[in-house]
Amino acid sequence: MEKYNTTEIETKWQAIWEGRRAFRVTEEPGRRKFYCLDMFPYPSGDLHMGHVRNYTIGDVVARYHVMKGENVLHPMGFDAFGQPAEQAAVRLERHPAEWTYSCIERMRTQLKRMGFNYDWEREVVSCDPEYYRWGQWFFLKFLERGLAYKAAAKVNWCDKCQFVLSDEEARGGACWRCGQTVGAKELEQWFFRITAYADRLLDDLALLSEWPERVVTMQRNWIGRSEGLQFDMAVVGGDEKLSVFTTRPDTCYGITYVVLAPEHPMVDSLCSDDAARAEIQKMRQRVSLREEPGKEGVFTGGFAINPLTGEQVPIWVADYVLMEYGTGAIMAVPAHDQRDFEFAREHNLPIRVVIEPEGGSLTPESMTEAYEGPGIQVNSGPFNYLASEKAWHKIAHHMEQQGIGKCTVHYRVRDWLISRQRYWGAPIPIVYCRRCGTVPVPEDQLPVLLPTDVPFEAGARSPLLRPEFLNTTCPQCGGAARRETDTMAQWIESCWYYLRYASAKETGRAFDPHAVRYWLPVDQYIGGVEHAVLHLLYSRFFTKVLQDMGLVEFAEPFTRLFTQGMVLKDGAVMSKSQGNVVAPDEVISRHGADTLRIFILFMGPPEMDAEWSDKGAQGCFRFLQRLWRLIVGNMEYYDPAWATIVTADGSEAVRALRRKTHQTIRRVTADIERMHLNTAISALMELANLMQDLIASLQSAGQTERAAYSEAANAMVRLLAPFAPHLAEEIWQRMQNTETVARAPWPVFDPQVAQEEQVTLVVQVNGRVRDRLTVERDLPQDEVERAALGSAGARRHLEGKSVKRVVVVPNKLVNIVAD
């Protein structure tokens, strides 16, 4: 028979789809929409298997919803600004713009070769002036609302990448791009006031019921809302006061020392001698190179006074206290905080118990860890014998009344640093004038173009410092001025790209509000979990600001989120440095894009990391070859009219195939809905096996057998279409269909046909499972009782007992109640 030629079939259908503009969509009011979005890639030159997995998942979901009759938006673009382009340009001695656009062309070709159903007429490229113009416009709007500001601050600095990082980009003390440990640097930078939205970002996590719980948890922890008490402790021998924040006012009577972060501004003034000051400076340097805090500490020589007890307690500096949290100073209660406990044991500091568990007793000498649970107050002055939960409020209220402290809320999240000291990014639309100061660029002068006709060399000054860009005139007074030479973080452009897709060719505004109202929010978003507190957090913040501006009506941009796992080879994530990369083009050339699509999904649950296997890819290719032979090779037995004939009768083989066909429709439908795409492919393989079993009898079979085969083949091709679209289109055409299978209706199962003819009954005696029986479905109750009472397991446990009654749950269980 005719050979399954992947190159010929896939090239043919990609040309047909493009020629027919098959995936182009427009707004259709009144028709149900579905917006499926994959996180757009950074154009680094070639697709890698992580891209392939992400985008194949999205394509299956998008194609499935098209076949369900929905109006599906499935766009693609490129997150094209950023440091990697500059690094590649230096390495390859090419200009970042030329390198980036060549990468985009390469990746676009690869994406089309995979057969993804993107509406390419909506493509967004973030380094195009017509796109980043609106990123600059948003910056100006944020500035008007007091949400953008410039300030001197100690920032995260990566020596290897040579630019600053936001806190989110430096989680764990390492650069998110290169992995190198980051240090601190004092610079004037532009920030977005994300902290103004901390409560809403936190509270609205309750709206994200269809997000992975771990992503919600990561965002909740990153925002880090803490309710507690802030109070001052006088410093012995001076006029200074040390402000501390605690979430445990109930433990204030247990303070035995105070700890400051190494960067706390009062550290130097509290040090009693030069030796302590020098030791602290050495500690600061060591801490800046350490990813995880330890138990390192230095005594300042100073003392603070507990305002509740009047007791003097020593002031220490330690690396486990963060300047970014609270006030950068904590009261240490080692009996009831594990970090304080470990530090106290390490440095021989006193421990005082102020909460004991109910019915128990604690002594500092016998404690092996801190007791952090609730209990009864002890050693707490007038608050003794209160439940600790009640004491929390009583002590806090007392300190507020006495003017000692105030209940307040602190957040872990800090304002978002958006300045970057690099060339390849959107210029910040600000000029500096000696007369007028800091001046926003007027909207009618946007975009502030990034010059691309400038030399770019490794180690040279930024092209933005050249006079032709730097020197300008003040928009207010017309005098000489200079431009801001920092560019915006690439995250700014990815914060709103999902809105631009709704009307990608819009010229007079960032997006058409009517199109956004139709398409947004995104129904299904798919991408990596590594963006949980980067892109996803920033996008949520951006959306809320736009909602307040009246530009969008929704509070959250992404209704449902799916985070796929990584693709591994030899136990490690694929990377050129590891030497374990498998190029998608190699697999496509050998086995075809459909094989790659099937295998990348069949490797395992898509939310989990999965190991690449060349043998596994070959196995998936053989499966598609078998399907080709199974259907195309037996087309003489297929009749589209027979595919809709309901055959209630027939041989057991016919009934079994029809049952499996409808069960497969049910299973694949459910598996796509819940993203169990690997088991959906398993279901198709099982159906193919049963179809193969019937093939031998087709030559001598009658219409009943051929109708069952035709029904199975028809359903198989439609179910296959989201996973292996090229092969499905080719077979569908040979099945005498003129309309593309991508627009064919999704098959519907018949629950009656999908029912198993036999069921397994659980047999219980007095509620305990004693046996299992396989019987015909819907067997009369008297026969069910007779079979259960006669089962070996029941007889064994009924010896010497009398049966009181028999309870039957049809098709599920029988419970025999006996004395």
Side-chain angles (χ1 to χ4, degrees), residues 521-817:
V522 174
D523 296 282
Q524 178 67 71
Y525 199 27
I526 302 167
V529 73
E530 66 271 17
H531 296 302
V533 292
L534 284 162
H535 163 65
L536 289 170
L537 182 65
Y538 297 154
S539 297
R540 294 183 61 228
F541 163 61
F542 221 82
T543 299
K544 294 181 190 307
V545 177
L546 299 193
Q547 184 187 35
D548 288 350
M549 292 169 61
L551 296 179
V552 301
E553 298 175 350
F554 47 89
E556 291 291 338
F558 314 120
T559 302
R560 190 182 186 199
L561 174 69
F562 183 82
T563 54
Q564 85 283 350
M566 293 182 289
V567 181
L568 312 177
K569 183 75 161 61
D570 304 323
V573 177
M574 286 190 186
S575 70
K576 291 179 182 177
S577 62
Q578 294 274 356
N580 64 348
V581 171
V582 177
D585 285 355
E586 295 175 13
V587 181
I588 295 173
S589 297
R590 286 200 306 270
H591 303 308
D594 282 345
T595 293
L596 179 53
R597 292 169 62 111
I598 288 286
F599 179 59
I600 207 77
L601 299 176
F602 189 59
M603 289 163 62
E607 71 277 12
M608 304 292 289
D609 294 347
E611 180 75 20
W612 177 268
S613 160
D614 292 329
K615 289 183 179 179
Q618 293 165 11
C620 288
F621 179 57
R622 287 194 295 271
F623 165 64
L624 295 182
Q625 285 180 311
R626 186 156 64 96
L627 273 184
W628 174 263
R629 293 192 300 268
L630 184 62
I631 301 177
V632 176
N634 294 286
M635 200 61 74
E636 61 193 284
Y637 305 119
Y638 175 82
D639 190 308
W642 291 351
T644 59
I645 294 175
V646 177
T647 52
D649 301 320
S651 65
E652 169 55 29
V654 166
R655 294 198 307 276
L657 180 58
R658 293 207 69 231
R659 185 164 57 248
K660 176 60 79 172
T661 298
H662 286 261
Q663 288 175 344
T664 303
I665 296 170
R666 179 177 63 192
R667 182 175 165 187
V668 172
T669 302
D671 282 350
I672 293 177
E673 290 281 358
R674 59 187 182 168
M675 294 292 201
H676 291 188
L677 304 183
N678 57 318
T679 55
I681 294 170
S682 295
L684 295 177
M685 292 176 173
E686 291 173 15
L687 177 59
N689 290 338
L690 212 56
M691 290 172 67
Q692 187 70 53
D693 293 343
L694 192 68
I695 290 296
S697 64
L698 286 180
Q699 288 184 340
S700 58
Q703 182 173 320
T704 301
E705 284 76 10
R706 296 188 181 192
Y709 169 79
S710 296
E711 180 186 42
N714 184 284
M716 169 66 84
V717 176
R718 285 188 283 164
L719 295 173
L720 181 69
F723 301 93
H726 308 89
L727 176 60
E729 290 281 16
E730 184 66 22
I731 299 175
W732 189 248
Q733 185 184 64
R734 291 169 185 248
M735 285 177 158
Q736 306 169 40
N737 296 291
T738 55
E739 179 65 39
T740 172
V741 73
R743 300 286 176 184
W746 187 253
V748 178
F749 71 93
D750 183 331
Q752 293 298 318
V753 180
Q755 273 191 352
E756 290 287 353
E757 294 188 352
Q758 291 187 318
V759 296
T760 299
L761 280 179
V762 174
V763 179
Q764 297 177 338
V765 175
N766 292 334
R768 293 192 174 186
V769 177
R770 299 306 185 188
D771 214 336
R772 285 180 172 81
L773 298 176
T774 300
V775 300
E776 289 184 21
R777 175 175 289 279
D778 298 326
L779 196 66
Q781 182 162 330
D782 60 336
E783 294 187 37
V784 171
E785 291 184 13
R786 190 161 48 250
L789 289 166
S791 70
R795 287 203 312 271
R796 190 165 58 252
H797 288 88
L798 288 173
E799 254 183 60
K801 300 176 182 176
S802 61
V803 175
K804 306 293 288 183
R805 67 179 185 278
V806 179
V807 180
V808 176
V809 179
N811 300 316
K812 291 186 178 179
L813 68 83
V814 181
N815 184 29
I816 304 167
V817 182

Side-chain angles (χ1 to χ4, degrees), residues 139-198:
F139 175 92
L140 295 177
K141 294 302 176 186
F142 278 43
L143 189 64
E144 288 175 11
R145 301 177 73 85
L147 296 174
Y149 66 94
K150 192 173 189 181
K154 192 168 286 188
V155 296
N156 305 302
W157 177 263
C158 177
D159 267 334
K160 184 174 181 181
C161 296
Q162 285 293 298
F163 66 86
V164 299
L165 302 161
S166 69
D167 287 348
E168 291 81 4
E169 292 171 323
R171 279 176 292 157
C175 174
W176 83 287
R177 278 289 186 193
C178 71
Q180 180 163 304
T181 300
V182 300
K185 197 168 188 176
E186 189 84 23
L187 289 172
E188 274 212 345
Q189 302 286 281
W190 283 96
F191 294 85
F192 276 174
R193 207 179 300 276
I194 194 172
T195 52
Y197 283 76

Side-chain angles (χ1 to χ4, degrees), residues 22 91 195 201 237 256 289 416 509 518 546 698 806:
R91 187 176 68 253
T195 52
L201 288 167
T256 58
L289 299 174
W416 173 16
R509 50 195 170 179
Y518 177 80
L546 299 193
L698 286 180
V806 179

Side-chain angles (χ1 to χ4, degrees), residues 260-266 320-329 414:
L260 308 186
E263 314 94 309
H264 195 286
M266 291 178 62
Y320 75 93
V321 177
L322 304 176
M323 193 62 217
E324 295 79 19
Y325 179 75
T327 64
R414 290 291 177 259

